[in-house]
Amino acid sequence: MDTGGNSLASGPDGVKRKVCYFYDPEVGNYYYGQGHPMKPHRIRMTHALLAHYGLLQHMQVLKPFPARDRDLCRFHADDYVSFLRSITPETQQDQIRQLKRFNVGEDCPVFDGLYSFCQTYAGGSVGGSVKLNHGLCDIAINWAGGLHHAKKCEASGFCYVNDIVLAILELLKQHERVLYVDIDIHHGDGVEEAFYATDRVMTVSFHKFGDYFPGTGHIQDIGYGNGKYYSLNVPLDDGIDDESYHLLFKPIMGKVMEVFRPGAVVLQCGADSLSGDRLGCFNLSIKGHAECVKFMRSFNVPLLLLGGGGYTIRNVARCWCYETGVALGVEVEDKMPEHEYYEYFGPDYTLHVAPSNMENKNSRQMLEEIRNDLLHNLSKLQHAPSVPFQERPPDTEAPEVDEDQEDGDKRWDPDSDMDVDDDRKPIPSRVKREAVEPDTKDKFVQDGLKGVMERGKGCEVGVDESGSSKVTGVNPVGMEEASVKMEEEGTNKGGADQVFPKI
């Protein structure tokens, strides 16, 4: 079987895709605390399904290199990143004022290894962007990412670091226009805010609106300044089903792709929009949710797939496993193979679950009005805005090396803005990870993105800116550490084939 992906039989999806998949075996060990709905364990459950369905052998599987302080500070404030690096459960009582300032403590608790967790999930998303920028894959996946609520200098909605913004900034080094699409039930407020005043990033969010966290995402929120009409918000009500959802999603995203013509797409696949989610109120099936992935895949544009919300964790794992198959062009069998988390999926032990009979409060008339309003806004855009690159930052390069490589000084491109920090101090935590001291800011500001890139001096937040092959359950291939290669930056300055050896 070709390790670069599987080709579909015909139609717009009948193009071979090479898929890179980022996974850190430690990610499932992080724990928000007793009773907290966010459970990183769901990422480990997803990985186990991918292994036992035999999907890992179709992808390049990579362990993300942890994001450094300076990487995070490309968007986040220096003092906020420093706070995240230093805070621990043992020291938080001494920093009550800082906890309040940075909105950490309740929805976003302090837990062991917090900063390492942020480094891990952000590293996967940025690493995916690097792979796409080098043309080394068609689709990159990081199910640990997609934490879309985090702001420049505060945590929000279980999110501490906004890996999506960081990934988009990386993509903007190579692409003049990047499209962000969010199918989480919650509005993608942190990403929208970051790019609200630029025409180089279009954000499109489909979400529950009205007395629901985070309370933003009105249809009339359309962007500001150069970014006017480059923010699209699709406000939805309880109980929306597959048919109603795609009555909006397909015509809107089809028009967006026609008008905006992005060089890359970032799709946040929050699974709390599924039927039966612990915190959600939508009624999408897994196939209905995945149809959004299939639709965006069909445009043959470099695609970064990220996770997000999702709090009925057995359904999150089901969904992201199935959507990985969609990315690969592989139809996975409904009957679930036995594996270490098999008991989570009883009594049916199937990949798909039927939606509920809850009321759909989204009337046909309401949906048509929303669709017409948004298509009208899109008609006001000039086709494919052209923004020239000025002071373009150097490309980040990330060759794979063995996990046991210990020469930290050779991990990063010395000309990149992602150099290693000189001073490193360990985090006092039960989860062993490497931490780094805050470093100086990037020296460049890309034209048209000043409000996004010039971050870190203060915390004022403003608006600156089918025919598929079929796979059944098989013996797991390459589980956990054995399946994962370290994704690291290096000093190799050769061409793409030299920088990223093929496997």
Side-chain angles (χ1 to χ4, degrees):
M1 195 70 67
D2 192 324
T3 59
N6 213 39
S7 55
L8 297 177
S10 61
D13 280 333
V15 177
K16 198 171 198 174
R17 305 297 201 282
K18 184 172 183 180
V19 180
C20 292
Y21 165 74
F22 289 82
Y23 176 72
D24 188 320
E26 292 185 20
V27 73
N29 294 329
Y30 297 105
Y31 183 57
Y32 276 61
Q34 186 174 5
H36 198 289
M38 176 61 98
K39 300 184 185 302
H41 177 61
R42 65 201 180 131
I43 312 300
R44 184 160 51 197
M45 291 173 61
T46 303
H47 186 77
L49 280 180
L50 296 178
H52 286 266
Y53 268 112
L55 294 177
L56 295 180
Q57 63 188 297
H58 296 269
M59 304 184 286
Q60 185 178 25
V61 182
L62 302 167
K63 181 178 179 182
F65 189 80
R68 306 281 174 153
D69 282 11
R70 66 175 63 198
D71 308 332
L72 303 181
C73 289
R74 294 192 64 226
F75 172 60
H76 292 285
D78 291 347
D79 51 357
Y80 175 55
V81 172
S82 179
F83 166 79
L84 290 177
R85 182 177 52 79
S86 64
I87 193 71
T88 69
E90 293 76 22
T91 63
Q92 63 176 324
Q93 292 305 315
D94 301 327
Q95 301 190 52
I96 300 300
R97 186 175 178 181
Q98 293 286 81
L99 290 169
K100 185 175 181 180
R101 176 187 174 196
F102 296 123
N103 195 35
V104 171
E106 294 185 7
D107 283 355
C108 303
V110 178
F111 57 85
D112 285 322
L114 169 59
Y115 189 64
S116 297
F117 175 62
C118 295
Q119 290 179 293
T120 297
Y121 75 75
S125 298
V126 174
S129 293
V130 171
K131 280 286 190 179
L132 293 171
N133 279 351
H134 281 277
L136 296 164
C137 63
D138 305 305
I139 301 173
I141 300 174
N142 177 33
W143 294 130
L147 277 66
H148 57 174
H149 295 306
K151 307 299 196 301
K152 166 186 164 182
C153 57
E154 71 174 40
S156 178
F158 316 156
C159 308
Y160 303 86
V161 164
N162 200 313
D163 62 289
I164 306 169
V165 172
L166 297 170
I168 291 173
L169 290 174
E170 189 68 32
L171 289 169
L172 287 169
K173 294 179 179 181
Q174 184 68 31
H175 305 281
E176 291 188 0
R177 294 175 300 279
V178 175
L179 171 64
Y180 172 67
V181 187
D182 192 314
I183 59 173
D184 192 291
I185 195 172
H186 300 96
H187 176 231
D189 56 336
V191 184
E192 177 184 274
E193 181 182 283
F195 299 108
Y196 204 64
T198 179
D199 61 358
R200 291 192 59 196
V201 178
M202 178 174 281
T203 61
V204 187
S205 179
F206 296 78
H207 52 269
K208 158 74 175 175
F209 183 77
D211 192 25
Y212 199 73
F213 183 87
T216 51
H218 194 283
I219 195 170
Q220 294 179 2
D221 295 337
I222 58 174
Y224 176 80
N226 290 339
K228 188 174 183 181
Y229 300 121
Y230 289 90
S231 291
L232 269 67
N233 284 294
V234 188
L236 304 169
D237 209 342
D238 294 4
I240 192 163
D241 57 21
D242 295 351
E243 180 183 1
S244 297
Y245 201 90
H246 294 294
L247 188 69
L248 291 176
F249 188 89
K250 291 185 175 181
I252 290 171
M253 295 317 306
K255 189 66 174 179
V256 166
M257 294 299 290
E258 173 193 334
V259 174
F260 188 58
R261 289 200 298 153
V265 175
V266 178
L267 177 57
Q268 196 265 23
C269 303
D272 47 6
S273 46
L274 292 173
S275 179
D277 187 78
R278 177 178 171 185
L279 299 185
C281 54
F282 283 0
N283 199 24
L284 297 182
S285 70
I286 288 171
K287 285 188 177 179
H289 194 273
E291 185 67 23
C292 298
V293 177
K294 184 177 181 181
F295 188 72
M296 298 312 300
R297 179 190 189 271
S298 72
F299 292 99
N300 298 329
V301 173
L303 178 61
L304 177 62
L305 297 180
L306 303 175
Y311 308 102
T312 300
I313 61 174
R314 61 185 182 276
N315 291 344
V316 176
R318 285 175 160 123
C319 181
W320 292 344
C321 173
Y322 185 75
E323 289 176 345
T324 302
V326 168
L328 288 164
V330 173
E331 181 67 32
V332 294
E333 189 178 61
D334 188 35
K335 186 178 186 303
M336 190 170 288
E338 291 192 21
H339 62 290
E340 57 267 47
Y341 305 115
Y342 191 63
E343 69 276 7
Y344 281 77
F345 301 96
D348 297 327
Y349 305 101
T350 56
L351 197 63
H352 296 281
V353 290
S356 75
N357 60 355
M358 71 185 297
E359 178 189 358
N360 183 355
K361 294 184 178 180
N362 301 269
S363 69
R364 183 84 177 209
Q365 179 182 354
M366 171 191 135
L367 295 172
E368 289 178 351
E369 288 175 357
I370 291 172
R371 182 182 61 190
N372 292 339
D373 285 350
L374 293 171
L375 291 176
H376 176 69
N377 285 348
L378 285 168
S379 71
K380 298 181 180 180
L381 289 178
Q382 294 182 350
H383 277 56
S386 178
V387 180
F389 288 110
Q390 297 184 13
E391 296 186 65
R392 182 173 178 267
D395 291 333
T396 302
E397 299 183 5
E400 298 96 37
V401 298
D402 293 334
E403 282 192 71
D404 59 359
Q405 176 176 333
E406 297 180 355
D407 189 352
D409 295 334
K410 294 185 178 179
R411 290 174 176 172
W412 300 93
D413 175 2
D415 296 328
S416 170
D417 60 349
M418 297 178 70
D419 291 342
V420 288
D421 299 286
D422 294 325
D423 301 319
R424 307 174 207 168
K425 296 181 180 179
I427 303 175
S429 167
R430 299 187 190 99
V431 182
K432 294 183 179 179
R433 280 287 194 164
E434 178 183 87
V436 288
E437 293 296 321
D439 208 343
T440 56
K441 292 299 294 166
D442 294 330
K443 296 181 179 179
F444 66 87
V445 176
Q446 259 185 299
D447 185 51
L449 284 173
K450 187 173 182 179
V452 182
M453 300 297 296
E454 201 169 46
R455 302 287 184 176
K457 298 307 179 186
C459 283
E460 298 80 6
V461 177
V463 288
D464 293 339
E465 300 258 340
S466 191
S468 305
S469 59
K470 196 154 195 141
V471 166
T472 59
V474 297
N475 291 330
V477 177
M479 282 290 288
E480 297 297 337
E481 290 87 347
S483 71
V484 183
K485 291 190 174 184
M486 178 67 84
E487 172 73 14
E488 293 185 344
E489 305 300 324
T491 56
N492 191 329
K493 300 292 288 184
D497 287 340
Q498 294 175 287
V499 176
F500 296 93
K502 295 178 181 178
I503 62 169

